[in-house]
Structure formats: structure tokens, C-alpha cells
């Protein structure tokens, strides 16, 4: 065993932003919480004065690219990147090559994650074979596999066929699964390049109307309620979507939703220079949408922040806009963006951040051992975050294999200093341990 | 001014300078030796990713009349068709010492992207459905030649505004130069946010015609019908086509313009296209002078 397995005494951290305490991590659990804890023999001390302690973050939406696009990311580099961002568990999206639509593929990804051991990799299973939207994939086999898949998504593509979506919602119920929908009406977004509005009209780029997202969300909420199933809405990006989800929750629909850090901060005005670093699906929207998303996350209409970490090699972005790939990396900047957009603005407390980025995503993903907060005898999944350590974002300095961050050149307010997965540090002093 | 990417980047003085320079250079075309030594030793690359004999020839002629060396780099049969990226093509041209690159590309923003990768000047010769600045400038030049002034001029732009780079460049430029633009099209062929543009909008061509000094017809592709932008070519033509009868409802001094290529029988009837009030061939001739002016102003410095 490497000697970094602890135990560790975290000195003077502020759990959920509260008063400073010490935390003793031993044998994978939080063994003791208290003031001025004694240092038992063989315990390594981590000075955490001024740092906020949060439960290990859980990402519901990560593209690890392996198998198939190892030039962009691998399970290993993605796991490192996740750890650097304070994540102890990620849900690996199904749009790999081959698609994660069989027990074999999800088990392969799950095993890779286990071997690497830097964060728990929970594969997402495809809803339909090959993401083709025609035939249900073997949801039961993936659920029963070693990977224990509970989240099913054709992310990147919308399950647009209403009947197929109904069946998926119903069928997944038998396995306590949830269908995570990429809400994008395909006909309304043929050739779409960016948010449809003043900027797209000026730039001459085919528009991606908000209604293409909202219409699918409305339909799916009604379907989910009709068949009594769980629905999760991926990367909500418009004000109208927030309104619809709020309405659906009020009428008792079992729907949850996520928002990405980039949709909480960036707007379509950034597309003005045609730099595809800002090209993403769903597209960056308007200031009005950004404010509505923040409000929705604050009042609980939107349950979680999920990164939609989407690494791409340089050449996929160094090209004409319409030719460029959609997506942005986000694992390593997520917490700092949430601080800037939600905490520093007074919209969320750190306790609520822990809910939106750890407890709620773990609950939606039915992920045991994560999202259980910081309590004695609970799992020692801990992130130590310095909220007063501004960092100039530089994609090339990141741990992810790709560098396509839309925050490059911006200053974000804080940094992850340490991440512990079941008591073992995956990050210490701001570096991969 | 280093590049010409969008007419929105031009202020009134810059735009006027281009038109005035074009007026001076137009005289070269009337001489027996149609050539000036101004750009001798300079290299202009025509980088055309879309077929456009008209625009490419116009730029080529303009550059040659200024004594520049001109290289035509067409996407077909070149490294581009073998999968070379725009960036690599740009770096290649850069290495060859191109002083100016004239780019036509099907992707909106391609000229912007290119301008980050080359040291020389980039001239946007049409990027996707974004802009076509020299077309708008030559249109303005033609209007000024015919009608004397642009300030207060009432210009109707009729047709597929949504997909038109000519319309975008014209709205921006004409507004800067003090003209009043009205866009006329079925609602399906107008951008959703057109209400925020600095112009008027109408769905009714007949109501706009009597109040127009210039009627600019845009090409309408028949394929749009299959995408449900309008029910049929005939219905489009009935509502938005310019025929002899409609021409009669325009003020006597008013002119008809078209950026070409025209689709006779759809947006414009043969009678109108061949009428002396139609400036299509004049626009083509003016295009050479105007592009000479732009090349001169961008590349003519030391």
C-alpha cells in the first residue's frame, strides 16, 4: 500500500463554510470531527485553515471519451481532471465509440475507473441502440451488470420519438433507473449553430431556438407524470425551460434537472468573434436566460450543477465555426464558477452548494457512498476548497487531456486544494496526489 | 483599416473614403491602358471555397489593374479537397508571402477566423450567410453614381433576407451612410430578431414600391420551397417578384438593383431585368472599381 492512504487529520477546515473544525479521516470514513483533535501516531496532518470542506462532488454529466476518442480524453485523464475539480464520482456519458449501449461496454468503462481509482466512474447507459433513437438498448442488462447503471441517456442526441421516450421512461422504472434527456427537438435545430436571437441573426449563423429545448422538456414532463417515472433533464439552458420545470414540479411530476457552469456564466455575445471555443450544445444563451438559470438553481427548480465536461482535441476547435465540435471542458473549473455565479452573488450558501453538487446528483444517480455529507462514520469523500485563491484560467495548464475551456483568460475566485476519495487523497496541495 | 470583414466595422468617413477612391479609380477603366502601378510587387491570393466566377474575376481584375500579382487558390483540386484545414491553408499562404487574402467561404465567420491566422489583410468576399462587404460597397457606389447621394435615400431590399449576406452587409452600410432601408420578405425569410435591426420591415412589396428610390432584389433559391419557407415559386413570385407592372408603380427616378445571379421569372421578370432602370451590369462594372479601391486602401500603404 502506498503510504498516502492515511490516516489524515484535516486541521481547521470549515465544513460547508461553517466554523473551523478538525476532521480525522481513517479507514475510508470520517472517524472523528471536533476541535483541536489530538494527532495520533502515523497520522498526516493537512493544514486547512481558511479552506472550506465539502463532501466529495458528484458529476452527473461527464464525457470521458474512452473508448474511441482517447485523443481527447481517457478514463484516466478524465479521472485526474475530476479529482482536480473536487469530484469523487462522475457519470460517464454513453456517446463513446462504441456506444455504451451494452453491458460489455459499461463494464469496461466501470472497470477502467476502478483500476485507476481516482474517482468513482459510473457509466451512463444509452437509452437506444447506437444512440440512433430507434430501438431500446438493453437497459436491464446494463442495470444488472457490475457497473450497476441507473442513469440512461442518449446525451448528444435527443430521444425525440415520443413513443420511444414513453417506453424508456416506463421500462427504466423496473431498475430504479432514470432517463436523462438531452432536450433538443431535431427538426427545429437542423444545422443549428448557436442560440437563435439577435446575435445569430447578426452573425448569419443558423439559430437554435429556445423552443426546441422547451417543447421537449414540456412533453417529457407530461409523459413522465403520465407513466409515473423519473425524468432527469440534462443541461437546462433557457428561462422557458426553468419555468416549465418549475410548473411540472408543482404539479407533482418526478422531474429533476441540471445546469452547467458555463450556462450559469456565459452568454451568446461571446460568439461575436466566431471562436468555436464557445460552441456548445445546448448553445450559450442570453443574459436573461443566465439569470433565470441562477434563480432556478437557487430555488431548487434546478436540482444539480453538472459539468457536461466535453473534451475535444485542438483541431476540432481551430477551425471554422460551423465545422467545429460542440463542447467545453469543465471539471476543473466547476466549483469556482459556482462560487462566482452563485455563492459570491448570495444566491447559494456553501451548504446548498454541497446539495447541488454532491447530495442531489448522488441521489439522482442512486450512487451509494457519495453525497452523504460530512458526518462522523460517513464516507471520507472530502474536498477542501480555497474560496480566496483567484486563478487565471489556462486550458493548457489543466489536467484534462484537452484544453477547450471557455473560461480561459478569465479569473475565477477559488481553487480546490485537496480531494479525498474514501480517505485517500487524489489531490493534495492543489496537485494530483 | 487592416481587414475588411464586415461593413459594420466601417464608420461613415471610412465608407465614404472607399466610395470616393472608387470614383477616382473608375477613370482607369476608361483609359486605353487600364493599369496602375500601385500594388506592383504585392501578392493577392483569391481563396475561393465556393464557386463564384463573378466575384473571383472581379477581384482578380481589380488586383491586376493595380499591378498586383494574383494567385487563384480554388478549393477544388487543391489540398483543401484532401482535407487540409483552413488554418493550414492560411499558414501556407502566409509562408508564401501573401499580402492580401480574398476569401469566399460557405461558413459564416470564416474570414474572421482567417484574420487570426495570417499577417496580411483579409478581404471577406462572402462568408456563409453572414456578410459580403464589397457587394454592399459596390451597391452603395452604384446608388450614389445614379442618384447623387445616399443620405435620406429610401432603399427596399426584397427577398431571402434570412440567408442573404448581401442583405446583412447592405443594412449595416446603408444605415451608416444615412439611407433608410426597408426589408421586404415573407416572415419566414426574415431573421427572428429583425425588429432589432436598424431598418424597417414590411411583408407587402406593393405598399413599399411607391416610396422607394432603390429596389434591390435578392436571389431566391427554388430549394427554399422544399424547406417550407414558402409554398411555391409561383406564389412567391406573385407576392414578391418584380415585374413590369410593379416597376410602373415605382417613382420615375427609382432604380432596380440585383447582386446577381438573377433568376429571371422568379424574383425578377425579364422585362424588368432588361430595362434601363435595372443596374445589374453597371453593378458588375462598378464592382471592379470598388474592389480596386478596397485593395488600394488595404494594401497600398508602405
Amino acid at each position: 500500500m502506498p503510504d498516502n492512504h492515511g490516516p489524515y487529520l484535516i486541521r481547521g477546515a470549515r465544513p460547508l463554510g461553517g466554523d473551523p473544525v478538525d476532521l480525522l479521516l481513517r479507514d475510508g470514513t470520517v472517524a472523528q470531527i471536533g476541535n483541536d483533535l489530538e494527532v495520533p501516531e502515523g497520522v498526516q496532518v493537512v493544514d486547512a485553515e481558511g479552506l472550506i470542506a465539502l463532501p466529495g462532488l458528484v458529476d452527473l454529466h461527464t464525457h470521458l471519451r474512452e473508448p474511441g476518442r482517447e485523443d481527447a480524453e481517457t478514463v484516466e485523464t478524465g479521472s485526474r481532471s475530476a479529482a482536480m475539480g473536487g469530484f469523487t464520482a462522475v457519470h460517464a456519458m454513453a456517446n463513446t465509440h462504441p456506444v455504451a449501449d451494452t453491458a460489455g461496454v459499461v463494464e469496461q468503462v466501470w472497470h477502467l475507473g476502478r483500476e485507476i481509482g481516482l474517482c468513482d466512474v459510473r457509466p451512463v447507459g444509452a437509452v437506444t441502440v447506437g444512440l440512433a433513437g430507434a430501438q431500446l438498448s438493453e437497459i436491464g442488462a446494463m442495470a444488472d451488470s457490475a457497473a450497476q447503471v441507473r442513469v440512461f441517456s442518449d446525451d448528444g442526441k435527443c430521444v425525440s420519438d415520443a413513443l420511444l421516450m414513453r417506453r424508456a421512461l416506463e421500462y427504466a422504472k423496473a431498475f430504479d433507473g432514470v432517463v436523462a434527456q438531452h432536450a433538443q427537438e431535431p427538426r427545429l435545430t437542423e444545422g443549428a449553430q448557436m442560440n437563435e436571437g439577435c446575435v445569430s441573426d447578426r452573425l448569419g449563423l443558423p439559430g437554435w431556438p429556445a423552443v426546441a429545448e422547451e417543447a421537449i422538456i414540456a412533453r417529457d414532463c407530461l409523459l413522465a407524470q403520465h407513466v409515473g417515472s423519473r425524468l432527469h433533464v440534462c443541461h437546462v439552458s433557457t428561462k422557458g425551460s426553468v419555468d416549465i420545470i418549475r410548473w411540472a414540479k408543482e404539479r407533482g411530476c418526478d422531474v429533476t434537472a441540471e445546469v452547467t457552469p458555463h450556462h450559469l456564466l456565459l452568454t451568446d455575445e461571446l460568439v461575436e468573434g466566431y471562436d468555436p471555443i464557445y460552441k456548445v450544445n445546448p448553445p450559450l444563451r442570453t443574459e436573461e436566460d443566465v439569470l433565470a438559470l441562477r434563480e432556478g438553481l437557487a430555488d431548487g427548480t434546478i436540482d444539480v450543477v453538472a459539468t457536461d465536461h466535453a473534451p475535444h482535441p485542438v483541431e476540432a476547435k481551430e477551425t471554422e465555426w460551423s465545422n467545429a465540435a460542440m463542447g467545453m471542458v469543465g471539471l476543473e473549473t466547476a466549483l469556482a464558477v459556482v462560487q462566482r455565479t452563485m455563492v459570491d452573488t448570495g444566491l447559494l450558501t456553501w451548504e446548498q452548494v454541497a446539495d447541488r453538487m454532491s447530495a442531489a446528483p448522488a441521489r439522482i444517480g442512486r450512487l451509494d457512498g457519495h453525497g452523504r455529507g460530512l458526518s462522523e462514520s460517513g464516507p471520507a469523500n472530502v474536498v477542501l476548497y480555497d474560496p480566496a485563491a483567484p486563478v487565471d484560467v489556462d486550458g493548457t495548464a489543466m489536467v484534462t487531456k484537452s484544453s477547450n475551456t471557455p473560461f480561459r483568460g478569465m479569473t475565477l475566485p477559488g481553487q480546490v486544494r485537496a480531494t479525498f476519495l474514501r480517505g485517500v487523497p487524489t489531490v493534495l496541495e492543489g496537485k494530483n496526489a | 483599416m487592416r481587414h475588411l470583414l464586415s461593413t459594420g466595422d466601417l464608420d461613415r468617413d471610412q465608407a465614404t473614403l472607399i466610395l470616393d477612391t472608387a470614383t477616382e479609380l473608375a477613370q482607369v477603366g476608361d483609359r486605353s491602358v487600364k493599369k496602375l502601378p500601385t500594388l506592383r510587387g504585392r501578392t493577392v491570393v483569391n481563396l475561393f471555397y465556393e464557386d463564384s466566377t463573378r466575384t473571383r474575376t472581379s477581384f482578380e481584375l481589380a488586383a491586376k489593374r493595380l499591378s498586383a500579382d494574383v494567385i487563384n487558390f480554388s478549393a477544388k483540386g487543391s489540398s483543401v479537397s484532401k482535407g487540409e484545414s483552413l488554418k493550414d491553408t492560411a499558414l501556407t499562404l502566409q509562408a508564401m508571402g501573401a499580402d492580401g487574402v480574398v476569401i469566399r467561404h460557405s461558413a459564416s465567420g470564416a474570414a474572421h477566423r482567417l484574420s487570426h491566422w495570417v499577417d496580411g489583410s483579409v478581404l471577406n468576399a462572402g462568408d456563409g450567410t453572414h456578410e459580403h462587404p464589397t457587394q454592399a460597397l459596390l451597391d452603395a457606389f452604384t446608388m450614389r453614381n445614379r442618384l447623387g447621394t445616399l443620405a435620406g435615400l429610401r432603399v427596399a431590399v426584397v427577398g431571402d433576407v434570412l440567408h442573404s449576406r448581401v442583405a446583412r452587409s447592405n443594412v449595416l452600410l446603408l444605415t451608416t451612410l444615412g439611407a433608410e432601408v426597408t426589408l421586404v420578405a415573407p416572415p419566414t425569410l426574415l431573421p427572428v430578431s429583425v425588429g432589432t435591426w436598424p431598418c424597417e420591415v414590411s411583408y407587402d412589396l406593393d405598399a413599399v414600391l411607391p416610396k422607394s428610390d432603390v429596389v434591390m432584389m435578392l436571389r431566391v433559391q427554388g430549394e427554399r420551397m422544399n424547406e417550407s419557407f414558402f409554398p411555391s415559386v409561383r406564389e412567391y413570385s406573385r407576392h414578391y417578384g418584380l415585374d413590369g407592372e410593379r416597376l410602373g408603380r415605382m417613382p420615375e427616378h427609382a432604380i432596380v438593383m440585383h447582386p446577381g445571379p438573377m433568376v429571371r421569372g422568379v424574383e425578377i421578370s425579364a422585362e424588368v431585368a432588361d430595362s434601363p432602370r435595372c443596374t445589374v451590369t453597371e453593378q458588375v462594372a462598378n464592382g471592379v472599381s470598388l474592389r480596386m479601391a478596397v485593395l488600394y486602401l488595404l494594401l497600398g500603404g508602405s
Side-chain angles (χ1 to χ4, degrees):
Chain A
M1 291 286 269
D3 61 2
N4 69 349
H5 279 209
Y8 283 88
L9 182 71
I10 298 170
R11 191 68 100 184
R14 296 161 50 208
L16 310 179
D19 294 331
V21 294
D22 300 342
L23 297 98
L24 180 65
L25 313 184
R26 185 160 55 200
D27 300 331
T29 61
V30 181
Q32 210 181 347
I33 301 179
N35 287 308
D36 302 320
L37 295 185
E38 291 195 10
V39 186
E41 189 142 339
V43 168
Q44 300 180 58
V45 177
V46 177
D47 177 16
E49 198 186 320
L51 305 187
I52 288 166
L54 297 171
L57 308 182
V58 176
D59 193 13
L60 258 184
H61 195 142
T62 318
H63 295 276
L64 293 181
R65 301 294 187 221
E66 188 175 0
R69 285 309 300 266
E70 291 83 355
D71 59 327
E73 194 82 285
T74 64
V75 174
E76 179 171 358
T77 58
S79 294
R80 285 188 192 286
S81 180
M84 282 295 278
F87 291 90
T88 50
V90 298
H91 289 75
M93 272 300 170
N95 62 339
T96 48
H97 306 279
V99 171
D101 57 4
T102 62
V105 178
V106 294
E107 285 197 349
Q108 181 199 355
V109 172
W110 180 75
H111 278 297
L112 275 168
R114 282 243 302 189
E115 279 165 27
I116 292 152
L118 292 168
C119 77
D120 288 349
V121 175
R122 197 78 185 297
V124 172
V127 176
T128 67
V129 174
L131 308 178
Q135 185 190 348
L136 284 185
S137 54
E138 290 197 344
I139 286 172
M142 291 188 278
D144 292 340
S145 75
Q148 298 262 303
V149 178
R150 291 294 177 272
V151 181
F152 298 90
S153 181
D154 276 1
D155 180 61
K157 289 191 175 175
C158 181
V159 182
S160 63
D161 182 314
L163 183 63
L164 195 62
M165 186 60 184
R166 175 200 167 135
R167 298 278 189 254
L169 285 165
E170 286 179 302
Y171 193 76
K173 196 160 51 167
F175 310 96
D176 198 21
V178 63
V179 177
Q181 174 71 295
H182 174 117
Q184 181 189 349
E185 212 293 314
R187 284 281 283 156
L188 284 173
T189 51
E190 278 174 15
Q193 294 292 322
M194 68 171 295
N195 179 50
E196 181 166 281
C198 296
V199 182
S200 68
D201 288 345
R202 194 160 61 235
L203 296 182
L205 289 169
W208 194 310
V211 62
E213 173 174 315
E214 293 154 3
I216 293 292
I217 294 176
R219 180 201 76 178
D220 287 353
C221 286
L222 296 170
L223 276 174
Q225 189 164 25
H226 179 61
V227 299
S229 293
R230 288 205 289 148
L231 167 71
H232 179 72
V233 185
C234 295
H235 40 50
V236 170
S237 73
T238 77
K239 178 178 188 291
S241 297
V242 177
D243 291 340
I244 290 164
I245 293 163
R246 191 178 285 124
W247 167 83
K249 285 186 167 184
E250 277 167 12
R251 71 197 296 269
C253 173
D254 192 1
V255 58
T256 55
E258 71 189 32
V259 62
T260 71
H262 47 269
H263 287 113
L264 287 172
L265 183 56
L266 310 177
T267 67
D268 63 353
E269 299 281 337
L270 289 164
V271 182
E272 290 281 1
Y274 293 97
D275 186 342
I277 201 82
Y278 302 112
K279 185 173 177 180
V280 66
N281 177 352
L284 299 178
R285 306 283 188 182
T286 67
E287 185 74 23
E288 190 187 15
D289 295 303
V290 165
L291 296 176
L293 292 168
R294 291 181 186 182
E295 193 187 320
L297 183 63
D299 71 18
T301 301
I302 297 174
D303 303 79
V304 308
V305 174
T307 67
D308 196 5
H309 177 80
H312 288 291
V314 171
E315 63 271 19
K317 291 288 189 180
E318 267 193 348
T319 180
E320 307 88 298
W321 179 277
S322 57
N323 191 34
M326 292 182 274
M328 306 167 161
V329 295
L331 286 167
E332 292 166 63
T333 45
L335 193 49
V337 172
V338 169
Q339 183 194 342
R340 172 161 164 179
T341 57
M342 302 301 296
V343 180
D344 291 352
T345 52
L347 290 167
L348 285 185
T349 62
W350 285 109
E351 187 177 0
Q352 289 171 312
V353 170
D355 175 66
R356 308 298 194 269
M357 297 186 77
S358 180
R363 192 167 60 239
I364 293 164
R366 300 294 192 249
L367 193 53
D368 292 334
H370 290 273
R372 303 211 342 234
L374 297 172
S375 54
E376 281 187 11
S377 77
N381 297 323
V382 186
V383 49
L384 299 177
Y385 178 75
D386 188 344
V391 60
D392 297 326
V393 179
D394 173 9
T396 59
M398 286 184 174
V399 170
T400 169
K401 199 164 187 179
S402 296
S403 58
N404 51 308
T405 172
F407 307 112
R408 61 144 191 234
M410 294 176 66
T411 303
L412 293 176
Q415 297 176 48
V416 170
R417 301 307 303 169
T419 307
F420 293 87
L421 174 63
R422 286 181 286 277
V424 179
T426 55
V427 171
L428 269 183
E429 294 175 0
K431 294 189 173 64
N432 279 127
Chain B
M1 195 168 70
R2 188 172 143 212
H3 307 296
L4 180 61
L5 305 177
S6 161
T7 54
D9 297 337
L10 299 172
D11 63 26
R12 193 172 187 143
D13 288 346
Q14 289 171 316
T16 305
L17 175 64
I18 294 172
L19 301 187
D20 291 346
T21 308
T23 302
E24 286 179 39
L25 293 171
Q27 293 158 11
V28 177
D30 299 333
R31 303 200 307 215
S32 56
V33 178
K34 299 181 172 61
K35 210 145 177 158
L36 290 173
T38 321
L39 295 184
R40 183 177 292 156
R42 302 249 157 182
T43 304
V44 174
V45 176
N46 280 326
L47 180 58
F48 274 61
Y49 286 82
E50 282 184 338
D51 289 331
S52 173
T53 309
R54 177 187 304 253
T55 305
R56 186 186 54 71
T57 310
S58 181
F59 268 106
E60 184 174 351
L61 202 53
K64 284 182 171 166
R65 283 195 182 161
L66 294 170
S67 305
D69 296 321
V70 182
I71 297 162
N72 288 314
F73 198 101
S74 139
K76 278 181 189 156
S78 72
S79 50
V80 171
S81 62
K82 295 168 191 157
E84 184 175 73
S85 72
L86 178 61
K87 183 181 179 180
D88 285 321
T89 303
L91 297 179
T92 302
L93 300 177
Q94 173 79 8
M96 290 175 180
D99 298 295
V101 181
V102 178
I103 179 172
R104 161 69 65 97
H105 200 291
S106 61
S108 299
H112 277 79
R113 295 293 283 160
L114 186 70
S115 71
H116 293 287
W117 296 321
V118 295
D119 292 337
S121 293
V122 173
L123 278 84
N124 184 2
D127 62 327
T129 53
H130 176 226
E131 285 212 39
H132 192 354
T134 56
Q135 178 68 45
L137 283 160
L138 76 87
D139 290 340
F141 183 69
T142 305
M143 289 177 215
R144 198 175 74 164
N145 285 357
R146 275 280 191 130
L147 301 168
T149 179
L150 290 160
L153 209 62
R154 298 164 303 174
V155 182
V157 178
V158 186
D160 186 357
V161 174
L162 181 65
H163 302 96
S164 175
R165 49 195 174 208
V166 176
R168 277 175 183 74
S169 284
N170 261 302
V171 168
L172 293 170
L173 180 68
L174 290 171
T175 306
T176 299
L177 291 169
E180 297 162 18
V181 180
T182 303
L183 299 174
V184 184
T188 44
L189 291 176
L190 290 165
V192 288
S193 74
V194 74
T196 66
W197 286 17
C199 59
E200 299 294 312
V201 173
S202 172
Y203 310 137
D204 185 354
L205 178 59
D206 289 316
V208 173
L209 286 177
K211 301 179 287 185
S212 300
D213 303 307
V214 176
V215 177
M216 183 186 296
M217 304 305 295
L218 301 174
R219 183 165 63 113
V220 172
Q221 294 173 293
E223 304 95 90
R224 301 291 178 216
M225 181 180 73
N226 303 327
E227 299 165 56
S228 300
F229 285 102
F230 47 82
S232 70
V233 170
R234 289 326 321 156
E235 172 150 323
Y236 179 84
S237 202
R238 274 198 297 277
H239 284 89
Y240 298 100
L242 190 61
D243 58 11
E245 195 193 329
R246 284 192 166 121
L247 185 69
R249 272 182 243 143
M250 291 166 52
E252 272 187 31
H253 68 275
I255 57 171
V256 176
M257 303 182 74
H258 197 299
M262 292 188 283
V263 188
R264 290 176 184 235
V266 179
E267 74 268 9
I268 193 164
S269 71
E271 182 188 355
V272 176
D274 295 331
S275 111
R277 294 170 70 182
C278 180
T279 63
V280 172
T281 50
E282 205 172 317
Q283 287 168 267
V284 173
N286 288 339
V288 178
S289 308
L290 189 283
R291 287 173 178 123
M292 286 172 73
V294 170
L295 287 167
Y296 170 75
L297 292 169
L298 287 179
L299 306 177
S302 52

